[in-house]
Amino acid sequence: NVLYSAFSERPKHLDPAQAYSENEYEFLAQIYAPPLHYHYLKRPYELVPLAAGGMPTVRYLDKDRRPLPDTAPTEKIAFSVYEIRIKPDMRYQPHPAFARDAQGKPEYGHLTPRDLRGIHALGDFPHSGTRTVTAADYAYQIKRLAHPQLHTPILGVMGEYITGLKDFAATLQRAVQKDPDAFLDLNEYPLQGVQVVDKYTYRIEVHGKYPQFAYWLAMPFFSPMPQEVERF
């Protein structure tokens, strides 16, 4: 049996930080794994874990970051902290970006035009590699939402909610203006509202009580992005 479908327009981006149309999501949903997704059959729609090992836990804090009970009035809640634990031992599909030399360094980390002679597709690279998906990859992707050269469509919305994201975007903007041609290593810049707890756990802090944030976690914007791939 064959299912035929049509695109109303050509996909513009397959980068999860930039894509924001149904035509693009047809592809992205088969490539990237955000923490949550929708149950395939249940109606009304229900969020269930995808890359996450379970549904995120949420803690509420007051303006002094003291814990509040789940029943606290909305006006008392200054911050909500979402803790997400991803499934252990998920791995990336083999890719040249993960290839390592005998010293354990990226084999294709500093390619020159000469190195790319005869390379027309990923399969033309003689070596590839893979590794485990980590919480740091999910945190890295959230930082990419503020990358000044990516023009993420949800930055304006998320800047109002994720703690420190607006200031983080301004910091990255200054860094790019200082050296436009350099690789912008997002790991060198801390983001207040995103913390990596351990290899498989991370936290996102948002302003106030915003239960709709869980639905954002089902979108490709919050998928993992390995820094090795961005460098490649």
Side-chain angles (χ1 to χ4, degrees), residues 154-215:
I154 67 164
L155 176 59
V157 177
M158 289 296 102
E160 298 298 324
Y161 286 103
I162 297 177
T163 308
L165 186 61
K166 196 179 293 186
D167 291 337
F168 182 73
T171 298
L172 297 185
Q173 185 72 50
R174 290 191 293 270
V176 168
Q177 289 173 349
K178 186 177 180 181
D179 193 352
D181 297 324
F183 175 76
L184 184 59
D185 186 352
L186 302 181
N187 288 328
E188 293 183 359
Y189 302 91
L191 173 54
Q192 180 184 355
V194 179
Q195 295 180 340
V196 176
V197 179
D198 58 38
K199 186 175 182 179
Y200 298 119
T201 310
Y202 66 106
R203 295 183 185 133
I204 307 172
E205 182 183 270
V206 301
H207 292 286
K209 186 175 183 179
Y210 182 47
Q212 296 93 329
F213 186 71
Y215 295 93

Side-chain angles (χ1 to χ4, degrees), residues 10-228:
R10 185 177 182 270
K12 298 181 180 68
H13 298 288
L14 293 181
D15 182 340
Q18 300 183 80
Y20 202 19
S21 75
E22 183 180 356
N23 289 336
E24 294 157 351
Y25 279 25
E26 291 281 349
F27 295 98
L28 295 180
Q30 301 179 68
I31 300 170
Y32 296 99
L36 307 178
H37 68 156
Y38 292 93
H39 191 286
Y40 188 66
L41 297 175
K42 286 187 178 180
R43 300 294 184 272
Y45 296 110
E46 180 180 324
L47 286 173
V48 292
L50 179 58
M55 293 299 290
T57 60
V58 187
R59 294 185 296 113
Y60 300 119
L61 308 175
D62 65 14
K63 60 183 178 61
D64 298 316
R65 284 189 162 77
R66 292 176 299 198
L68 292 170
D70 292 345
T71 55
T74 300
E75 63 271 14
K76 296 285 187 182
I77 298 173
F79 304 98
S80 301
V81 180
Y82 288 77
E83 183 167 294
I84 302 154
R85 183 166 179 81
I86 63 172
K87 295 173 182 175
D89 301 325
M90 293 187 295
R91 299 184 72 81
Y92 291 108
Q93 180 169 319
H95 191 285
F98 297 118
R100 300 276 174 171
D101 60 21
Q103 288 73 43
K105 297 179 179 178
E107 185 169 356
Y108 305 118
H110 300 283
L111 294 171
T112 65
R114 183 184 182 90
D115 297 326
L116 292 173
R117 290 178 183 173
I119 300 293
H120 305 289
L122 291 177
D124 294 333
F125 287 94
H127 301 124
S128 65
T130 182
R131 69 163 173 81
T132 302
V133 181
T134 66
D137 298 330
Y138 283 85
Y140 189 82
Q141 168 66 3
I142 297 172
K143 289 183 173 183
R144 293 182 76 242
L145 300 180
H147 198 301
Q149 295 169 326
L150 294 182
H151 310 294
T152 303
I154 67 164
L155 176 59
V157 177
M158 289 296 102
E160 298 298 324
Y161 286 103
I162 297 177
T163 308
L165 186 61
K166 196 179 293 186
D167 291 337
F168 182 73
T171 298
L172 297 185
Q173 185 72 50
R174 290 191 293 270
V176 168
Q177 289 173 349
K178 186 177 180 181
D179 193 352
D181 297 324
F183 175 76
L184 184 59
D185 186 352
L186 302 181
N187 288 328
E188 293 183 359
Y189 302 91
L191 173 54
Q192 180 184 355
V194 179
Q195 295 180 340
V196 176
V197 179
D198 58 38
K199 186 175 182 179
Y200 298 119
T201 310
Y202 66 106
R203 295 183 185 133
I204 307 172
E205 182 183 270
V206 301
H207 292 286
K209 186 175 183 179
Y210 182 47
Q212 296 93 329
F213 186 71
Y215 295 93
W216 286 102
L217 296 177
M219 300 184 76
F221 296 113
F222 290 89
S223 303
M225 179 60 69
Q227 192 196 55
E228 299 98 315

